[in-house]
Short mmCIF file of all heavy atoms in Angstrom, two decimals:
data_model
loop_
_atom_site.label_atom_id
_atom_site.label_comp_id
_atom_site.label_asym_id
_atom_site.label_seq_id
_atom_site.Cartn_x
_atom_site.Cartn_y
_atom_site.Cartn_z
N LEU U 273 -25.62 -39.22 -107.63
CA LEU U 273 -26.61 -40.10 -106.99
C LEU U 273 -27.98 -39.85 -107.61
O LEU U 273 -28.50 -38.74 -107.57
CB LEU U 273 -26.64 -39.82 -105.48
CG LEU U 273 -27.56 -40.69 -104.63
CD1 LEU U 273 -27.19 -42.17 -104.75
CD2 LEU U 273 -27.51 -40.25 -103.17
N PHE U 274 -28.52 -40.89 -108.19
CA PHE U 274 -29.80 -40.81 -108.91
C PHE U 274 -30.86 -41.46 -108.02
O PHE U 274 -30.85 -42.67 -107.80
CB PHE U 274 -29.65 -41.54 -110.24
CG PHE U 274 -30.82 -41.39 -111.19
CD1 PHE U 274 -31.89 -40.54 -110.92
CD2 PHE U 274 -30.82 -42.12 -112.38
CE1 PHE U 274 -32.94 -40.41 -111.81
CE2 PHE U 274 -31.89 -42.00 -113.29
CZ PHE U 274 -32.95 -41.15 -112.99
N LEU U 275 -31.76 -40.63 -107.48
CA LEU U 275 -32.81 -41.12 -106.58
C LEU U 275 -34.08 -41.33 -107.38
O LEU U 275 -34.72 -40.38 -107.81
CB LEU U 275 -33.06 -40.11 -105.46
CG LEU U 275 -31.83 -39.70 -104.65
CD1 LEU U 275 -32.14 -38.52 -103.74
CD2 LEU U 275 -31.33 -40.88 -103.84
N LEU U 276 -34.43 -42.58 -107.59
CA LEU U 276 -35.54 -42.90 -108.47
C LEU U 276 -36.74 -43.34 -107.63
O LEU U 276 -36.74 -44.45 -107.08
CB LEU U 276 -35.10 -44.01 -109.43
CG LEU U 276 -35.81 -44.14 -110.76
CD1 LEU U 276 -35.77 -42.85 -111.56
CD2 LEU U 276 -35.19 -45.27 -111.57
N GLY U 277 -37.72 -42.45 -107.49
CA GLY U 277 -38.91 -42.80 -106.73
C GLY U 277 -38.68 -42.95 -105.25
O GLY U 277 -39.39 -43.69 -104.58
N VAL U 278 -37.68 -42.24 -104.73
CA VAL U 278 -37.32 -42.36 -103.31
C VAL U 278 -38.02 -41.26 -102.52
O VAL U 278 -37.88 -40.07 -102.84
CB VAL U 278 -35.80 -42.24 -103.11
CG1 VAL U 278 -35.44 -42.27 -101.63
CG2 VAL U 278 -35.07 -43.34 -103.87
N ILE U 279 -38.77 -41.62 -101.49
CA ILE U 279 -39.40 -40.63 -100.62
C ILE U 279 -38.30 -39.98 -99.77
O ILE U 279 -37.52 -40.68 -99.11
CB ILE U 279 -40.47 -41.28 -99.71
CG1 ILE U 279 -41.58 -41.90 -100.57
CG2 ILE U 279 -41.05 -40.27 -98.74
CD1 ILE U 279 -42.63 -42.68 -99.78
N ILE U 280 -38.23 -38.66 -99.82
CA ILE U 280 -37.16 -37.96 -99.11
C ILE U 280 -37.62 -37.73 -97.67
O ILE U 280 -38.32 -36.76 -97.37
CB ILE U 280 -36.85 -36.61 -99.80
CG1 ILE U 280 -36.60 -36.80 -101.30
CG2 ILE U 280 -35.65 -35.94 -99.13
CD1 ILE U 280 -35.40 -37.63 -101.66
N CYS U 281 -37.28 -38.65 -96.78
CA CYS U 281 -37.77 -38.57 -95.39
C CYS U 281 -36.66 -38.96 -94.43
O CYS U 281 -35.61 -39.42 -94.86
CB CYS U 281 -38.96 -39.49 -95.21
SG CYS U 281 -38.52 -41.23 -95.38
N ASP U 282 -36.94 -38.77 -93.13
CA ASP U 282 -35.86 -38.98 -92.17
C ASP U 282 -35.43 -40.44 -92.04
O ASP U 282 -34.27 -40.72 -91.86
CB ASP U 282 -36.19 -38.37 -90.80
CG ASP U 282 -37.43 -38.98 -90.17
OD1 ASP U 282 -38.14 -39.77 -90.83
OD2 ASP U 282 -37.71 -38.65 -89.00
N THR U 283 -36.38 -41.39 -92.16
CA THR U 283 -35.90 -42.78 -92.05
C THR U 283 -35.08 -43.16 -93.28
O THR U 283 -34.22 -44.04 -93.20
CB THR U 283 -37.05 -43.80 -91.89
OG1 THR U 283 -38.03 -43.57 -92.89
CG2 THR U 283 -37.68 -43.71 -90.52
N ASN U 284 -35.31 -42.52 -94.40
CA ASN U 284 -34.50 -42.81 -95.58
C ASN U 284 -33.14 -42.08 -95.54
O ASN U 284 -32.16 -42.58 -96.04
CB ASN U 284 -35.23 -42.42 -96.87
CG ASN U 284 -36.22 -43.52 -97.32
OD1 ASN U 284 -36.11 -44.66 -96.91
ND2 ASN U 284 -37.17 -43.16 -98.16
N PHE U 285 -33.13 -40.88 -94.96
CA PHE U 285 -31.91 -40.06 -95.03
C PHE U 285 -31.43 -39.47 -93.70
O PHE U 285 -30.33 -38.97 -93.62
CB PHE U 285 -32.11 -38.88 -96.00
CG PHE U 285 -32.22 -39.35 -97.41
CD1 PHE U 285 -33.46 -39.47 -98.03
CD2 PHE U 285 -31.09 -39.69 -98.12
CE1 PHE U 285 -33.56 -39.93 -99.32
CE2 PHE U 285 -31.18 -40.16 -99.42
CZ PHE U 285 -32.42 -40.28 -100.01
N GLY U 286 -32.26 -39.52 -92.67
CA GLY U 286 -31.94 -38.80 -91.43
C GLY U 286 -30.77 -39.38 -90.68
O GLY U 286 -30.22 -38.75 -89.79
N VAL U 287 -30.43 -40.63 -91.02
CA VAL U 287 -29.35 -41.26 -90.26
C VAL U 287 -28.06 -41.30 -91.08
O VAL U 287 -27.26 -42.21 -90.96
CB VAL U 287 -29.76 -42.68 -89.81
CG1 VAL U 287 -30.73 -42.60 -88.66
CG2 VAL U 287 -30.39 -43.46 -90.97
N SER U 288 -27.87 -40.27 -91.90
CA SER U 288 -26.67 -40.23 -92.73
C SER U 288 -25.43 -39.94 -91.89
O SER U 288 -25.46 -39.08 -91.02
CB SER U 288 -26.79 -39.11 -93.78
OG SER U 288 -27.91 -39.32 -94.56
N ALA U 289 -24.38 -40.68 -92.16
CA ALA U 289 -23.13 -40.44 -91.43
C ALA U 289 -22.56 -39.09 -91.84
O ALA U 289 -22.23 -38.26 -91.01
CB ALA U 289 -22.14 -41.55 -91.74
N SER U 290 -22.45 -38.86 -93.12
CA SER U 290 -22.09 -37.52 -93.56
C SER U 290 -23.26 -37.10 -94.43
O SER U 290 -23.74 -37.85 -95.24
CB SER U 290 -20.79 -37.55 -94.37
OG SER U 290 -20.99 -38.30 -95.55
N LYS U 291 -23.72 -35.89 -94.21
CA LYS U 291 -24.96 -35.49 -94.84
C LYS U 291 -24.85 -35.53 -96.38
O LYS U 291 -23.88 -35.07 -96.94
CB LYS U 291 -25.28 -34.06 -94.40
CG LYS U 291 -26.75 -33.77 -94.32
CD LYS U 291 -26.97 -32.48 -93.55
CE LYS U 291 -28.39 -32.01 -93.69
NZ LYS U 291 -28.81 -31.70 -95.04
N ILE U 292 -25.86 -36.11 -97.01
CA ILE U 292 -25.88 -36.09 -98.47
C ILE U 292 -26.41 -34.72 -98.90
O ILE U 292 -27.43 -34.27 -98.38
CB ILE U 292 -26.84 -37.18 -99.00
CG1 ILE U 292 -26.36 -38.57 -98.56
CG2 ILE U 292 -26.97 -37.11 -100.51
CD1 ILE U 292 -27.34 -39.67 -98.88
N ASP U 293 -25.72 -34.08 -99.81
CA ASP U 293 -26.22 -32.80 -100.31
C ASP U 293 -27.26 -33.09 -101.39
O ASP U 293 -26.91 -33.41 -102.53
CB ASP U 293 -25.05 -31.96 -100.86
CG ASP U 293 -25.51 -30.55 -101.23
OD1 ASP U 293 -26.75 -30.33 -101.26
OD2 ASP U 293 -24.65 -29.71 -101.49
N LEU U 294 -28.53 -32.98 -101.00
CA LEU U 294 -29.60 -33.38 -101.91
C LEU U 294 -29.62 -32.53 -103.17
O LEU U 294 -30.09 -32.96 -104.22
CB LEU U 294 -30.96 -33.33 -101.20
CG LEU U 294 -31.18 -34.47 -100.20
CD1 LEU U 294 -32.42 -34.23 -99.37
CD2 LEU U 294 -31.26 -35.83 -100.89
N ARG U 295 -29.07 -31.31 -103.09
CA ARG U 295 -29.08 -30.46 -104.28
C ARG U 295 -28.15 -31.01 -105.35
O ARG U 295 -28.25 -30.67 -106.51
CB ARG U 295 -28.63 -29.03 -103.91
CG ARG U 295 -29.63 -28.30 -103.05
CD ARG U 295 -29.03 -27.03 -102.53
NE ARG U 295 -27.72 -27.28 -101.90
CZ ARG U 295 -26.95 -26.34 -101.39
NH1 ARG U 295 -27.32 -25.09 -101.44
NH2 ARG U 295 -25.79 -26.64 -100.82
N LYS U 296 -27.22 -31.87 -104.93
CA LYS U 296 -26.30 -32.43 -105.93
C LYS U 296 -26.78 -33.76 -106.47
O LYS U 296 -26.09 -34.40 -107.25
CB LYS U 296 -24.92 -32.58 -105.29
CG LYS U 296 -24.34 -31.22 -104.90
CD LYS U 296 -22.85 -31.27 -104.71
CE LYS U 296 -22.32 -29.86 -104.49
NZ LYS U 296 -21.43 -29.77 -103.35
N THR U 297 -27.94 -34.19 -106.03
CA THR U 297 -28.47 -35.46 -106.52
C THR U 297 -29.44 -35.21 -107.67
O THR U 297 -29.83 -34.07 -107.93
CB THR U 297 -29.23 -36.20 -105.41
OG1 THR U 297 -30.34 -35.40 -105.00
CG2 THR U 297 -28.34 -36.48 -104.21
N ILE U 298 -29.83 -36.30 -108.32
CA ILE U 298 -30.92 -36.24 -109.30
C ILE U 298 -32.10 -36.92 -108.64
O ILE U 298 -31.99 -38.07 -108.24
CB ILE U 298 -30.54 -37.01 -110.59
CG1 ILE U 298 -29.20 -36.52 -111.14
CG2 ILE U 298 -31.65 -36.90 -111.63
CD1 ILE U 298 -28.58 -37.50 -112.15
N GLN U 299 -33.21 -36.20 -108.51
CA GLN U 299 -34.36 -36.79 -107.83
C GLN U 299 -35.56 -36.87 -108.75
O GLN U 299 -36.00 -35.86 -109.28
CB GLN U 299 -34.79 -35.90 -106.65
CG GLN U 299 -33.83 -35.82 -105.51
CD GLN U 299 -34.30 -34.75 -104.50
OE1 GLN U 299 -35.46 -34.71 -104.14
NE2 GLN U 299 -33.38 -33.90 -104.11
N ALA U 300 -36.09 -38.08 -108.92
CA ALA U 300 -37.33 -38.24 -109.67
C ALA U 300 -38.37 -38.76 -108.70
O ALA U 300 -38.26 -39.87 -108.18
CB ALA U 300 -37.13 -39.22 -110.82
N LEU U 301 -39.37 -37.94 -108.42
CA LEU U 301 -40.38 -38.29 -107.42
C LEU U 301 -41.61 -37.42 -107.65
O LEU U 301 -41.48 -36.26 -108.06
CB LEU U 301 -39.83 -38.03 -106.01
CG LEU U 301 -40.75 -38.40 -104.85
CD1 LEU U 301 -40.77 -39.91 -104.63
CD2 LEU U 301 -40.30 -37.72 -103.55
N ASP U 302 -42.77 -37.97 -107.32
CA ASP U 302 -44.01 -37.19 -107.38
C ASP U 302 -44.22 -36.56 -108.75
O ASP U 302 -44.68 -35.42 -108.87
CB ASP U 302 -44.00 -36.06 -106.32
CG ASP U 302 -44.16 -36.61 -104.91
OD1 ASP U 302 -44.76 -37.70 -104.76
OD2 ASP U 302 -43.70 -35.95 -103.96
N GLY U 303 -43.86 -37.28 -109.79
CA GLY U 303 -44.14 -36.79 -111.14
C GLY U 303 -43.27 -35.63 -111.58
O GLY U 303 -43.59 -34.95 -112.55
N GLN U 304 -42.16 -35.39 -110.88
CA GLN U 304 -41.24 -34.36 -111.37
C GLN U 304 -39.79 -34.77 -111.14
O GLN U 304 -39.52 -35.69 -110.36
CB GLN U 304 -41.55 -33.01 -110.75
CG GLN U 304 -41.35 -32.92 -109.26
CD GLN U 304 -41.34 -31.47 -108.80
OE1 GLN U 304 -41.98 -30.63 -109.40
NE2 GLN U 304 -40.59 -31.17 -107.75
N VAL U 305 -38.90 -34.10 -111.83
CA VAL U 305 -37.48 -34.42 -111.71
C VAL U 305 -36.75 -33.14 -111.30
O VAL U 305 -36.96 -32.08 -111.88
CB VAL U 305 -36.91 -34.93 -113.05
CG1 VAL U 305 -35.41 -35.20 -112.93
CG2 VAL U 305 -37.65 -36.19 -113.50
N SER U 306 -35.93 -33.27 -110.25
CA SER U 306 -35.15 -32.11 -109.79
C SER U 306 -33.68 -32.48 -109.81
O SER U 306 -33.31 -33.59 -109.43
CB SER U 306 -35.52 -31.73 -108.36
OG SER U 306 -36.90 -31.54 -108.26
N MET U 307 -32.86 -31.54 -110.24
CA MET U 307 -31.40 -31.72 -110.14
C MET U 307 -30.75 -30.36 -110.09
O MET U 307 -31.27 -29.38 -110.63
CB MET U 307 -30.86 -32.59 -111.27
CG MET U 307 -31.26 -32.19 -112.66
SD MET U 307 -30.92 -33.56 -113.80
CE MET U 307 -32.39 -33.50 -114.81
N GLY U 308 -29.62 -30.32 -109.41
CA GLY U 308 -28.98 -29.03 -109.25
C GLY U 308 -29.96 -28.08 -108.61
O GLY U 308 -30.57 -28.38 -107.60
N TYR U 309 -30.17 -26.95 -109.26
CA TYR U 309 -31.04 -25.95 -108.65
C TYR U 309 -32.33 -25.75 -109.44
O TYR U 309 -32.97 -24.74 -109.35
CB TYR U 309 -30.27 -24.63 -108.52
CG TYR U 309 -29.06 -24.79 -107.62
CD1 TYR U 309 -27.82 -25.12 -108.15
CD2 TYR U 309 -29.17 -24.65 -106.24
CE1 TYR U 309 -26.72 -25.32 -107.34
CE2 TYR U 309 -28.08 -24.83 -105.41
CZ TYR U 309 -26.85 -25.17 -105.96
OH TYR U 309 -25.78 -25.35 -105.14
#
Side-chain angles (χ1 to χ4, degrees):
L273 183 60
F274 188 6
L275 305 170
L276 204 56
V278 176
I279 298 175
I280 309 296
C281 66
D282 61 352
T283 50
N284 278 341
F285 291 100
V287 285
S288 302
S290 64
K291 211 166 169 298
I292 299 172
D293 187 349
L294 287 170
R295 291 170 309 178
K296 296 199 173 132
T297 62
I298 306 163
Q299 292 172 46
L301 182 77
D302 288 334
Q304 64 166 31
V305 178
S306 306
M307 51 195 138
Y309 298 92

